[in-house]
Amino acid sequence: MANEYGKIYVGDEVIAVIAGSAALECYGLVGMASRQQLKDGIAELLGRENLGRGVEVRRLKDDAIDIDLYIIVSYGTRISEVAHNVQNRVKYVLSEIVGLQVEHIHIFVQGVRVTR
């Protein structure tokens, strides 16, 4: 981003942490999952300190970005609704608060967890 004072560069890791934090605010989301392959069919649930590991950011032309989110949803929730809410929330936060142009947000559901 450029303004009259100079340029502002927001790193991919910062974008990933902001996107992960925004996603966790959505109902039905248990947490972020690792982008790595599943081990023995079990997705690794990431803690709050590792939010960026469940997000992949790709820069496109014209300062636009694509984001892949790897999530774990709560059992009993409609997966399509949770994914849609996550997409809307992440796009809103990155567009309005950070000022980034988000082209696509891809959701990869890595698992379903029973919450107590």
Side-chain angles (χ1 to χ4, degrees), residues 9-20 49 51-53 55 57 59:
Y9 180 78
V10 181
D12 291 350
E13 190 173 316
V14 174
I15 295 169
V17 170
I18 292 170
E49 64 279 353
L51 291 177
R53 284 183 45 208
V55 181
V57 178
R59 296 205 180 250

Side-chain angles (χ1 to χ4, degrees), residues 73-88:
V73 298
S74 176
Y75 178 79
T77 59
R78 180 175 268 163
I79 295 173
S80 61
E81 286 297 318
V82 173
H84 185 62
N85 289 340
V86 168
Q87 286 174 321
N88 287 336

Side-chain angles (χ1 to χ4, degrees), residues 60-114:
L60 306 171
K61 299 179 211 172
D62 304 325
D63 295 328
I65 59 172
D66 272 0
I67 296 181
D68 295 342
L69 291 164
Y70 298 83
I71 65 172
I72 298 174
V73 298
S74 176
Y75 178 79
T77 59
R78 180 175 268 163
I79 295 173
S80 61
E81 286 297 318
V82 173
H84 185 62
N85 289 340
V86 168
Q87 286 174 321
N88 287 336
R89 179 69 185 157
V90 170
K91 184 169 185 168
Y92 172 78
V93 167
L94 290 177
S95 297
E96 297 298 320
I97 296 175
V98 182
L100 296 171
Q101 178 186 351
V102 180
E103 285 292 318
H104 300 101
I105 299 176
H106 304 279
I107 305 293
F108 297 90
V109 179
Q110 298 287 80
V112 177
R113 293 280 166 92
V114 177

Side-chain angles (χ1 to χ4, degrees), residues 22-61:
L24 282 181
E25 296 174 4
C26 295
Y27 174 79
L29 189 72
V30 174
M32 304 300 292
S34 175
R35 293 180 299 206
Q36 305 301 321
Q37 292 294 328
L38 299 176
K39 297 177 183 176
D40 300 325
I42 299 172
E44 177 189 355
L45 184 64
L46 300 174
R48 284 200 168 273
E49 64 279 353
N50 294 322
L51 291 177
R53 284 183 45 208
V55 181
E56 185 175 340
V57 178
R58 288 185 307 282
R59 296 205 180 250
L60 306 171
K61 299 179 211 172

